Amino acid sequence: MQYLSTRGHATRQSFSEILLGGLAPDGGLYLPEHYPQVSGAELESWRQLSYAELAFEILRKFATDIPEADLRALTAATYRQDVYCNARPGDDAAQITPLHTLEERGGTTILLQSLSNGPTLAFKDMAMQLLGNLFEYILTRQQAELNILGATSGDTGSAAEYAMRGKKGIRVFMLSPHRKMSAFQTAQMFSLQDPNIFNIAVEGVFDDCQDIVKAVSNDHGFKARQKIGTVNSINWARVVAQVVYYFRGYLAATTSHDQKVSFTVPSGNFGNICAGHIARMMGLPIDRLVAATNENDVLDEFFRTGVYRVRKSAETWHTSSPSMDISKASNFERFIYDLLDRDAERVRTLFAKVEHEGGFDLSGAPGSDGDEHKKVAAFGFQSGKSVHQDRLATIRDVQANCGVMIDTHTADGVKVAREHLTAGVPMIVLETALPAKFNETIREALGRDADRPAGFENIEALPQRFVVMPADAAQVKQFIVEHTGL
Ligand SMILES: *Cc1c(COP(=O)(O)O)cnc(C)c1O
């Protein structure tokens, strides 16, 4: 399997070649040259597999340049019950992403698929844990090393650190805004004592952290010397790892491949739901893929109207589902490429327009850039929006009527899912974090603290390891040099 760029760059690359990288050389995103197809018979044969075995079956279709025995060992080492051990009491943790029935409504069943039972209690562990093992494997084979530099406001940084801790050949330098993360998220990251993990608390806001990462990455000499890389959500291996749980959720909710299911996905950078799109393109019988957004409704606006209009930093809301607070959706280009029948020329033109004019318009209106919005439904996509009061009401309602405590992002999902039900088609809402991570809003909704999985009771009291630095790229570079010895 070879990979190509959504903007048409001529060079095809293998899975291993794009594994450690981000964007293609022309600024596009990588996609496989075609989507491997899964027949009904093959799907049936996967029903009895463990999660790790299913991950192997799907990944081997994409990572064709990794020997199968190695890939099998990597998926087995990743998807273990002792890693994804934070299941709700009563859920079967051995399933890795267990389904939990929430309610009967609208002639169908709404189910919650737990993706947040990993070490950092958010769905990013599903892909990031695999990435940690894949990176170590490839770097060992190449006798190379990698220094990951990232900026985080919470979930991504902690998932990356827990995936890379103790890995040979890898260091992580993670910038976060000093005193701006929740106490829980800060404790999760800063309590790591592994010598290859470096937490840098920047005196500034998240955008300052991101600006420093950009400044360092734009110094190409420094980047090459210090072997700087990233793990952001456009990484192809992250997307493909997320394809697995759509298959898993489908198989758990059905008894025959004649049946369909729908998914509602709390969305930010469009990575998670993009994996659902790919699963559907591979032949998984998905009826609807519903994107749930918060106040930052760039995606909902596109799916409703065909107009993609990115926001400026100052226009981005800081909400109580902060991991969905995005100004543009970095994985969206992958979907647009398929929506435009893989016309790389047009993708290049449209995303140049995003750069210069802040968006594009596929509504078909006079003067617009195209009329492909009318094809969105054929790809199964729908969308909806949820705001702070909806979150509070949904958290309360799901607690009272379903007996389940859900986090703020998942609440956005449940709110929107309830507006998009089809009789007879099970609706699976992806649970993207556990409520313990967002305790402040749980208290506001329920008047009490969120449930915490065992082992997390006192993490705020653990010793913390971090350095504080002014928002200054030169000082960050200096720190990196001192700790890589390169
Ligand atoms: C990252 C994240 C999201 C958004 O996922 P995307 O792949 O960026 O769409 C939603 N909820 C939580 C809790 C997250 O951490």
Side-chain angles (χ1 to χ4, degrees):
M1 172 70 74
Q2 294 287 102
Y3 291 84
L4 43 70
S5 164
T6 51
R7 298 193 191 173
H9 192 273
T11 315
R12 298 281 188 276
Q13 305 246 273
S14 72
F15 182 86
S16 302
E17 283 167 332
I18 63 170
L19 177 62
L20 300 177
L23 293 174
D26 57 359
L29 278 69
Y30 285 111
L31 272 178
E33 56 192 348
H34 62 85
Y35 293 118
Q37 295 299 301
V38 177
S39 67
E42 190 171 24
L43 197 52
E44 288 304 333
S45 75
W46 288 352
R47 274 189 196 283
Q48 304 309 321
L49 298 184
S50 70
Y51 192 97
E53 290 164 340
L54 178 65
F56 166 70
E57 292 297 337
I58 292 171
L59 268 137
R60 68 198 279 245
K61 295 178 184 292
F62 291 98
T64 48
D65 61 336
I66 297 183
E68 294 207 337
D70 294 351
L71 198 57
R72 199 185 278 282
L74 287 163
T75 48
T78 303
Y79 297 110
R80 301 191 330 237
Q81 193 181 336
D82 60 325
V83 174
Y84 297 91
C85 59
N86 298 306
R88 283 200 170 74
D91 283 356
D92 180 4
Q95 299 297 315
I96 305 295
T97 62
L99 283 191
H100 190 109
T101 301
L102 275 190
E103 60 184 354
E104 305 292 329
R105 184 189 274 251
T108 188
T109 310
I110 302 184
L111 304 125
L112 200 61
Q113 187 175 4
S114 296
L115 306 181
S116 310
N117 298 341
T120 75
L121 313 185
F123 88 96
K124 292 191 173 66
D125 290 329
M126 292 305 303
M128 205 72 92
Q129 289 284 321
L130 180 69
L131 212 60
N133 288 325
L134 279 170
F135 276 20
E136 185 179 51
Y137 168 80
I138 294 280
L139 290 166
T140 304
R141 280 213 312 196
Q142 298 175 347
Q143 300 197 314
E145 48 184 296
L146 177 70
N147 294 308
I148 293 167
L149 174 65
T152 191
S153 53
D155 288 346
T156 306
S158 55
E161 290 187 355
Y162 280 77
M164 305 298 165
R165 62 188 296 202
K167 292 279 185 279
K168 286 188 288 292
I170 304 177
R171 294 182 196 84
V172 179
F173 297 90
M174 192 57 67
L175 312 184
S176 58
H178 189 35
R179 299 208 171 101
K180 300 253 168 24
M181 291 190 296
S182 74
F184 186 93
Q185 286 182 312
T186 307
Q188 258 190 326
M189 287 178 55
F190 292 6
S191 64
L192 285 179
Q193 301 296 331
D194 306 74
N196 70 328
I197 303 295
F198 301 94
N199 285 301
I200 304 175
V202 172
E203 292 171 317
V205 294
F206 173 67
D207 284 335
D208 297 316
C209 300
Q210 227 168 8
D211 287 345
I212 294 173
V213 172
K214 275 189 207 142
V216 175
S217 304
N218 284 336
D219 182 343
H220 299 291
F222 182 88
K223 193 176 168 199
R225 254 190 331 275
Q226 294 295 324
K227 308 188 186 318
I228 302 285
T230 54
V231 286
N232 48 26
S233 76
I234 57 164
N235 180 287
W236 167 252
R238 270 182 74 176
V239 176
V240 79
Q242 295 175 163
V243 170
V244 177
Y245 51 70
Y246 285 88
F247 279 86
R248 186 70 171 184
Y250 174 86
L251 291 169
T254 60
T255 51
S256 145
H257 66 271
D258 298 335
Q259 295 165 284
K260 288 195 165 193
V261 306
S262 292
F263 288 90
T264 299
V265 187
S267 293
N269 274 316
F270 206 74
N272 199 355
I273 199 166
C274 184
H277 163 69
I278 290 163
R280 194 172 172 282
M281 298 298 275
M282 292 170 71
L284 188 68
I286 295 177
D287 186 28
R288 308 274 166 78
L289 282 166
V290 185
T293 73
N294 66 14
E295 289 85 340
N296 298 293
D297 57 353
V298 190
L299 291 169
D300 181 42
E301 185 172 77
F302 174 80
F303 286 114
R304 276 187 299 102
T305 66
V307 175
Y308 182 57
R309 184 174 58 87
V310 305
R311 313 295 200 255
K312 300 192 180 66
S313 286
E315 288 177 311
T316 307
W317 294 68
H318 292 279
T319 75
S320 48
S321 44
S323 300
M324 292 154 63
D325 293 347
I326 50 103
S327 51
K328 59 179 169 195
S330 50
N331 271 290
F332 193 51
E333 187 168 333
R334 289 193 161 109
F335 171 66
I336 292 296
Y337 182 67
D338 285 338
L339 186 70
L340 300 183
D341 287 329
R342 303 201 140 204
D343 183 341
E345 187 81 34
R346 278 189 70 203
V347 171
R348 196 161 59 229
T349 309
L350 290 183
F351 282 87
K353 214 169 163 193
V354 171
E355 203 77 356
H356 300 121
E357 296 168 40
F360 55 74
D361 178 353
L362 296 178
S363 70
S368 64
D369 304 297
D371 64 353
E372 280 78 7
H373 180 248
K374 65 175 192 282
K375 285 169 56 190
V376 158
F379 281 88
F381 274 90
Q382 291 184 333
S383 70
K385 171 178 174 174
S386 162
V387 300
H388 184 69
Q389 289 307 325
D390 298 320
R391 279 192 279 287
L392 296 181
T394 307
I395 290 168
R396 273 186 215 117
D397 180 80
V398 169
Q399 177 71 63
N401 296 316
C402 314
V404 178
M405 191 187 284
I406 54 172
D407 100 292
T408 52
H409 307 76
T410 309
D412 290 330
V414 171
K415 189 264 182 186
V416 171
R418 285 170 164 174
E419 298 165 349
H420 291 86
L421 301 175
T422 307
V425 181
M427 172 62 86
I428 299 176
V429 179
L430 298 186
E431 177 172 53
T432 55
L434 291 190
K437 293 199 93 164
F438 302 97
N439 192 45
E440 292 78 358
T441 310
I442 297 298
R443 288 192 67 93
E444 190 182 343
L446 301 176
R448 68 173 171 102
D449 285 320
D451 305 330
R452 278 196 182 188
F456 288 89
E457 294 85 356
N458 289 310
I459 61 163
E460 289 94 337
L462 295 174
Q464 300 194 348
R465 182 169 168 272
F466 64 102
V467 294
V468 182
M469 236 179 251
D472 175 9
Q475 291 196 39
V476 171
K477 282 181 175 172
Q478 181 65 29
F479 182 87
I480 293 173
V481 171
E482 280 165 15
H483 291 88
T484 61
L486 293 171

